[in-house]
Amino acid sequence: MNVKKLSEMQRVLDDRIIQEHGLEGKDLEDNKILALLVEICELANETRCFKHWSNKGPSEQNILLEEYVDSLHFFLSIANYRQYDVDRLYDAYMTNFGAEQATTSLVTAFKEIMGKILKMEQNQDSYYYIDAFATYLNIGKMLGFTWEQIQQGYIEKNEINHKRQDNGY
């Protein structure tokens, strides 16, 4: 996965949104953190991993991937906003967390990522971002996504997001 390329694509989209919506100079970090939490919850909802009362299975893989990359948009947006070096962050993930076994259940992973995102919000140190991002990438592994699928899904959704801006979304 070429995180630097995706980060640059996200920067272009964010800059466009800021300019077209007159948001120059506004602190948007709280919005981005909340949007990330909402997108993670939307993904959890589509997996249905916590719905023990229902016999219906998870959404199709393409729906899960679309929800997954929605979260990636906000992870990248936050990294750009905080001016983190995404290559260094990704390298740190691969070095420190990449070989880590996936959490035992999706329910546990979703609960963990929520807590880690809230810690990341409270502390600007990149360690907390890497920790949350590592959990996020492990959720992707648990859902069976490859790096190539994630990257392609992100690129496709980024194009959709630009078209939405073209149409006054």
Side-chain angles (χ1 to χ4, degrees):
M1 182 162 57
N2 185 340
V3 180
K4 186 152 195 109
K5 174 184 175 180
L6 302 184
S7 174
E8 287 304 315
M9 291 175 69
Q10 187 61 45
R11 185 180 316 281
V12 169
L13 179 61
D14 286 345
D15 288 349
R16 177 182 180 182
I17 290 168
I18 287 168
Q19 181 185 23
E20 291 180 7
H21 292 269
L23 299 170
E24 295 88 348
K26 299 214 181 203
D27 184 354
L28 301 173
E29 187 169 16
D30 283 347
N31 291 7
K32 293 176 185 207
I33 296 285
L34 181 57
L36 175 57
L37 290 166
V38 168
E39 293 300 341
I40 294 288
C41 288
E42 288 179 8
L43 175 61
N45 193 52
E46 291 297 332
T47 69
R48 302 180 59 82
C49 62
F50 61 94
K51 296 186 177 187
H52 60 271
W53 58 87
S54 176
N55 291 323
K56 186 177 176 186
S59 295
E60 293 179 13
Q61 200 71 356
N62 64 320
I63 301 292
L64 295 176
L65 181 60
E66 184 174 344
E67 292 298 339
Y68 185 82
V69 299
D70 282 346
S71 304
L72 181 55
H73 275 82
F74 290 104
F75 263 114
L76 293 172
S77 186
I78 292 163
N80 288 340
Y81 190 79
R82 291 184 174 182
Q83 299 180 345
Y84 292 150
D85 179 344
V86 292
D87 280 340
R88 190 181 73 71
L89 295 174
Y90 184 70
D91 289 344
Y93 163 74
M94 294 305 287
T95 302
N96 298 309
F97 300 97
E100 193 175 282
Q101 289 295 321
T103 306
T104 55
S105 76
L106 277 173
V107 170
T108 301
F110 281 116
K111 288 171 47 184
E112 283 178 1
I113 198 164
M114 297 300 221
K116 289 178 180 187
I117 290 168
L118 293 174
K119 283 182 186 172
M120 176 186 82
E121 176 186 29
Q122 298 302 314
N123 193 317
Q124 297 287 314
D125 188 302
S126 64
Y127 168 82
Y128 295 95
Y129 179 92
I130 294 167
D131 194 31
F133 193 57
T135 300
Y136 170 75
L137 292 176
N138 282 330
I139 289 172
K141 279 194 226 177
M142 293 175 78
L143 294 172
F145 300 137
T146 65
W147 299 130
E148 293 79 21
Q149 287 174 309
I150 294 168
Q151 180 167 304
Q152 187 58 40
Y154 175 87
I155 291 168
E156 290 171 9
K157 188 61 185 262
N158 188 273
E159 290 172 8
I160 290 169
N161 287 339
H162 276 286
K163 287 179 185 170
R164 285 177 172 171
Q165 292 303 309
D166 291 341
N167 296 319
Y169 182 75

